Every structure is written in structure tokens, then in C-alpha cells.
Amino acid sequence: MHTHHDEWILILDFGSQYTQLIARRIRELNVYCEIHPYNADISTFKKHPPMGIVLSGGPKSVYDEGAPVLNLDYLDLGVPVLGICYGLQSLTHSISPNSVEKAEKREFGRARLLIDDHTDLLKDVKNESVVWMSHGDHIKHLPKPYNVIAHTSNAPVAAVRHQDKPIFGVQFHPEVVHTEEGKQILKNFVKAICGCEAIWTAASFIETEIKEIREKVGEDRVLCALSGGVDSTVVATLIHRAIGDQLQCIFVDNGLLRKNEFQTVLETYKKHLKLPVKGVDASHRFLENLKGVSDPEKKRVIIGNTFIEVFDDEITDENGFKYLAQGTLYPDVIESVSFKGPSATIKSHHNVGGLPEKMNLELIEPVRELFKDEVRSVGRELGIPDNFIGRHPFPGPGLGIRVLGDITEEKLKLLKEADAIFVQSLKNHGLYDKVWQALAVLLPVESVGVMGDERTYERAVALRAVTSVDGMTADWAHLPYDFLAEVSNRIINEVRGVNRVVYDISSKPPATIEWE
């Protein structure tokens, strides 16, 4: 993946939950980096070697059976190396097998860093700043020729360096926000020690990508399925900028979009972004195929398959297209090459997966090197309106997995109204941009209520709002009570058929963001 990057940092993944965070922090310094499994074949990097290597942390002990082992050939690439937690232990353990000691108790949480050597890695780092520890083992005997450059009251070895080569290690996590000077430490490593110039920006990405798309596509045509979301919109805008009307976009209304969404999004595509887009209303077909189906996985499969059928019907000129554009993001790529093997499917993700095989198309994935926040930066740079860029993620199966149980026109209408009240209220109160995702779910229960002098037996709606950085983990949003009271009142008063509103206070994990 790294062929067109003159300067980049290689992150070898030993299984840490924070590995993606290391990548994000380095990219925030405007330096491109990539994550590869710790056991990646070193020969793949010899043609375009990185300017530095970071060894990530990991959950295992170096003494565990099957613990990841560092391939020492990486140290012979002659570029600077930074080991973090397990990455450092693996480094010292592979040089001197008795250097690491199994700790009596795990060291977890905040500690104060006491610096012994302020040069290189710890230049301009405040003494006694807070660092975040998270490890079981610790280094007992530091092998020669390594020197201690920092310690904490609990750990005699908190940071080290090789006395002759630019090889460093820290026993804490500089990538997490709890480490106060973490950004400075990574900056020292990436810029001062590795010599990266910080040329990775949204503008440089667009320039490079446009050139690559033109070279790859030539005179051929590209097909792009738009979902109304940020990723596919950025992909389409980028490709359109590169090849103009050799691109054809299709935006399908599956009947499971939010209230008035099909019309408003189509208008943005056509009028503001000037994309060559065809809008297809296939809502009736989707709802017909979903009739009577309650199982969430079955719903997903039906929605995905119907989407492929509709798409296929619309492309009458089958031979005219060679490529299908997709908004694959970097976390999806990492997931598929993870040394732990692709992680268990929690839910089957909805993209146009079945199309390339069926129609003999090659994939083109212009944002597969980017994280979600980077896609947003590229979108802004491309001039996509801010209210579009800031949109919350919306699942491919849409409201189909927010109506729990079987889907009917009537249930969708109730949910669209309740959802619209919730989302609009968040915007009116300046809360929309403070949450990662907000949604309403129609529950398959009816409960007793009182309206006027009459008893009612009507439906319940659950509201869910979460805060997150990347959707991998999420906490429920602590929205003000008076705001929730106002939304609940409005939904119960304005949406006929709903008499109860509840607020979901579960975090991810263990709950997922969506209910199905």
C-alpha cells in the first residue's frame, strides 16, 4: 500500500488495543504511517523502506505460549525504532532472554515520568509529567548497550535508548490522551529522530490520489453507489474531480432512509456537488422483499441482495463500466490483515460486496488509506458542505435495523417521525456535533399509557446517542435531562401511535451502537 509515499512510518502490530491510536497520532503530525502485522515479511518493505519503525504494545507476556516475537532483521533496516510497552519488552527479550520479569502485580494507570536524559526522544518533555502505564511484565535487567533515560517511582526502567543506534523504547503509552507529553514524544521520534518532514495533508492526499485515479482509469468508466453518507460522497467527489463524467453515480432509495432524506441528499449531489447521479426510488421493492422478516441477519442479507438487484437493473449498459468505486476505510483494511486473523463477524457489514463478481468489475477504493476523521478533512478540502461532512454515521441497512421485528410501512412512518424530532432537537440545542451518532429505535412492544381521559396501548421508542472517536468503542452520551424531557414530550405528543420514550444508557462494549 505504501508505494507512493516517499516518507512513511511502519507500525508493527503486536496486538495492542491502542495500535490504531498510534497511527492516528502520527498522522496528526502530518506524517503517513501504516500498520502491518508484527510477522509481516520484511522483504515487502525493502523496495520502499520506512523512515522509522514503531513496535506496538500487546496484551500478552513475552513468556506466554504463542506470544508474538520480534523479527530482529527489522533492526538491520538501519532506520530508527521505537518500542512501546510490549514492543520494548519483545525487543529486550529477543536480545537477552532474562531481561523481562513477570510482575507480581500489573502496573496500570497514571504515573509520573522522572527523566534522566533530556536529549533526543525526551527533548522538551516536562519532568514529572503524567504517563499512562498498562503492562504486566517489566524490564528487570536492561541488556547492554541500552541505557535508562527515564524512570517512575514504581518502574526503574520507564524509557530507554541504545547508546549508539537510534533505537528507543518506552514502558508507557505515549499515544493515549492520559500521557500528557505523549504528542511531544512521538513528534520527537517521527520528526527529529526519523527526519520526516510532515508532508501528509488532505491537500497532498487529494493531489496524489487524483493523479493515481487518472493513471489507473485511463479512458474507462467508473460506477459508484452513493449511500448518502460521508465516505461514498467523498469517494464520488474525488473521482469526479479526477475523471469528470467518466463517472456515473447511482443513489438508491431503499425506503429505509430517514425522513425526506432521499430528496434532500439527491439535491445536494446534483446542485451543490454537480455529481453525475441517477436517483432510483426502489422503496416498494425493498419493503416487499422484507415483508414478515424479523431476524436482523436475514434483514441485512435481503437488503444487500435487493440493492445488488436494483443496481444491476439500472446498469443497462453493462459493458460501459470497468470499475466500481467503494468507500472502504483504513480500519477495514487493518481488520482484514490483522495477525489475529479477520475478527469474528459481529454483524455482516453492508456494502455492495456482491457486485464486482456479478458484473465483472474491478474495485477502486480511493480512501482505503484513511481513517474516518481524515476522510472528513479530505471532504472539507474538496468543498463538500460542512453540514454534510459532519453527518453522523448511518448504517447501510438504515432504519431496517432500527425497526425491531418485522418491517411495515406504518412502523417506518412512526420511526421516521420520532427520529426526525430527536435529530432536529439535537441540532437546535447545539448538541448534534457533540455526539458521534444519534438514533431512534422502534421497539416491538406496546405498553399502557394515558392520553386525555383514555387509556392507550401503544408503541415504545428508544433513543440512543453515543460519544466516540472512531466507533470502535463508544460511551452513551450524557445528554441534559431537560433536553431529553423535551424530546420525549414532543415525540409522544406529535407521533400518533407512540406513548413511551426510553433512553439507552449502555456503552460499547458490551452493547453495540445499533440495536440489531
Side-chain angles (χ1 to χ4, degrees):
M1 274 182 71
H2 48 272
T3 47
H4 60 257
H5 296 279
D6 294 332
E7 59 168 48
W8 68 288
I9 297 289
L10 168 62
I11 299 166
L12 289 177
D13 180 19
F14 287 86
S16 167
Q17 59 178 337
Y18 300 132
T19 303
Q20 288 199 24
L21 212 45
I22 302 171
R24 294 165 68 96
R25 293 289 172 261
I26 292 175
R27 290 183 180 200
E28 281 164 13
L29 297 167
N30 299 116
V31 173
Y32 181 71
C33 60
E34 277 185 18
I35 297 171
H36 288 269
Y38 75 93
N39 54 4
D41 182 354
I42 191 167
S43 63
T44 50
F45 308 119
K46 290 203 164 145
K47 215 169 166 186
H48 291 278
M51 291 184 73
I53 299 171
V54 176
L55 313 173
S56 87
K60 294 210 181 269
S61 157
V62 289
Y63 296 110
D64 287 351
E65 201 179 323
V69 178
L70 171 67
N71 174 357
L72 289 174
D73 290 351
Y74 277 105
L75 303 184
D76 296 337
L77 279 178
V79 300
V81 174
L82 172 63
I84 295 175
C85 285
Y86 183 91
L88 167 60
Q89 291 163 7
S90 185
L91 181 69
T92 61
H93 183 68
S94 52
I95 300 165
S96 165
N98 64 353
S99 61
V100 176
E101 179 178 65
K102 256 187 160 348
E104 290 300 307
K105 61 180 194 339
R106 284 177 57 90
E107 186 177 16
F108 185 81
R110 293 174 171 79
R112 295 205 170 270
L113 191 67
L114 303 163
I115 299 173
D116 305 303
D117 178 352
H118 273 279
T119 53
D120 298 331
L121 189 68
L122 302 178
K123 193 172 189 293
D124 300 328
V125 174
K126 280 201 316 276
N127 202 19
E128 294 207 31
S129 67
V130 169
V131 294
W132 184 257
M133 296 288 194
S134 175
H135 57 91
D137 302 349
H138 60 232
I139 293 169
K140 190 181 177 198
H141 309 290
L142 194 61
K144 288 194 163 73
Y146 285 86
N147 299 325
V148 175
I149 56 173
H151 62 282
T152 68
S153 57
N154 208 6
V157 181
V160 309
R161 69 154 304 165
H162 189 289
Q163 65 187 36
D164 308 315
K165 298 175 181 171
I167 301 176
F168 301 84
V170 291
Q171 193 58 87
F172 53 87
H173 285 276
E175 69 275 23
V176 302
V177 286
H178 311 301
T179 296
E180 291 172 347
E181 299 272 333
K183 193 168 184 179
Q184 183 63 42
I185 293 169
L186 289 173
K187 185 177 169 187
N188 287 341
F189 178 70
V190 167
K191 294 190 175 175
I193 295 167
C194 299
C196 293
E197 283 176 31
I199 51 179
W200 164 258
T201 60
S204 73
F205 170 82
I206 291 167
E207 194 185 323
T208 308
E209 208 49 49
I210 283 176
K211 206 167 123 218
E212 294 221 337
I213 292 166
R214 282 181 185 150
E215 278 171 19
K216 181 170 182 170
V217 172
E219 300 298 311
D220 291 308
R221 294 184 71 207
V222 178
L223 194 55
C224 181
L226 289 166
S227 67
V230 177
D231 307 335
S232 65
T233 304
V234 168
V235 163
T237 311
L238 191 57
I239 294 175
H240 190 237
R241 179 85 46 103
I243 59 168
D245 290 349
Q246 285 169 254
L247 170 73
Q248 174 64 57
C249 302
I250 291 186
F251 180 38
V252 175
D253 182 1
N254 55 10
L256 306 168
L257 299 172
R258 287 182 148 139
K259 188 180 176 184
N260 301 333
E261 187 162 28
F262 185 61
Q263 297 75 5
T264 52
V265 170
L266 197 56
E267 196 164 308
T268 303
Y269 282 150
K270 286 182 167 170
K271 291 191 176 162
H272 191 99
L273 297 174
K274 306 276 191 284
L275 290 173
V277 60
K278 181 177 181 183
V280 180
D281 181 357
S283 49
H284 189 73
R285 185 166 175 179
F286 277 86
L287 295 185
E288 196 56 43
N289 290 355
L290 285 164
K291 212 180 233 168
V293 178
S294 296
D295 178 79
E297 265 307 302
K298 282 190 181 140
K299 286 191 213 172
R300 283 185 144 79
V301 170
I302 289 168
I303 293 165
N305 290 345
T306 309
F307 188 84
I308 290 170
E309 287 164 21
V310 170
F311 209 90
D312 201 22
D313 288 352
E314 290 306 317
I315 310 306
T316 42
D317 178 12
E318 259 195 51
N319 305 325
F321 296 97
K322 184 174 177 189
Y323 296 99
L324 175 75
Q326 260 190 197
T328 309
L329 298 188
Y330 194 43
D332 306 326
V333 177
I334 299 167
E335 192 98 325
S336 61
V337 299
S338 156
F339 75 84
K340 300 181 282 289
S343 61
T345 309
I346 294 172
K347 296 176 191 160
S348 62
H349 279 282
H350 167 75
N351 57 21
V352 280
L355 271 172
E357 300 83 16
K358 184 170 178 152
M359 295 168 62
N360 226 354
L361 296 172
E362 286 177 44
L363 281 181
I364 188 163
E365 301 170 307
V367 295
R368 73 192 307 264
E369 292 180 340
L370 305 185
F371 288 104
K372 187 81 174 188
D373 50 342
E374 294 174 316
V375 174
R376 289 195 164 120
S377 306
V378 166
R380 284 191 189 96
E381 187 77 29
L382 285 167
I384 296 171
D386 241 359
N387 61 352
F388 209 97
I389 291 297
R391 295 181 68 172
H392 291 174
F394 188 67
L399 303 182
I401 53 169
R402 293 179 182 174
V403 169
L404 305 194
D406 68 322
I407 299 167
T408 64
E409 193 85 61
E410 177 227 2
K411 289 180 187 176
L412 280 169
K413 192 168 181 301
L414 290 183
L415 182 58
K416 284 181 185 186
E417 294 301 328
D419 180 79
I421 290 170
F422 185 31
V423 171
Q424 195 51 55
S425 301
L426 284 165
K427 289 179 176 170
N428 294 348
H429 286 261
L431 294 166
Y432 185 82
D433 292 332
K434 292 188 167 72
V435 301
W436 165 266
Q437 199 168 343
L439 54 126
V441 179
L442 189 68
L443 305 182
V445 290
E446 291 184 339
S447 68
V448 176
V450 180
M451 290 210 183
D453 294 328
E454 293 176 18
R455 284 164 75 81
T456 59
Y457 203 60
E458 292 178 338
R459 296 191 169 275
V461 162
L463 302 181
R464 175 120 167 98
V466 297
T467 53
S468 178
V469 176
D470 51 18
M472 295 287 194
T473 59
D475 193 14
W476 61 278
H478 296 234
L479 296 174
Y481 290 155
D482 52 353
F483 168 78
L484 290 170
E486 180 192 308
V487 172
S488 169
N489 264 341
R490 279 197 59 195
I491 290 173
I492 291 169
N493 287 329
E494 296 173 34
V495 185
R496 292 186 71 103
V498 173
N499 68 356
R500 191 176 294 268
V501 173
V502 299
Y503 188 55
D504 179 350
I505 57 168
S506 359
S507 297
K508 173 186 178 179
T512 50
I513 294 176
E514 297 289 344
W515 277 45
E516 283 194 345

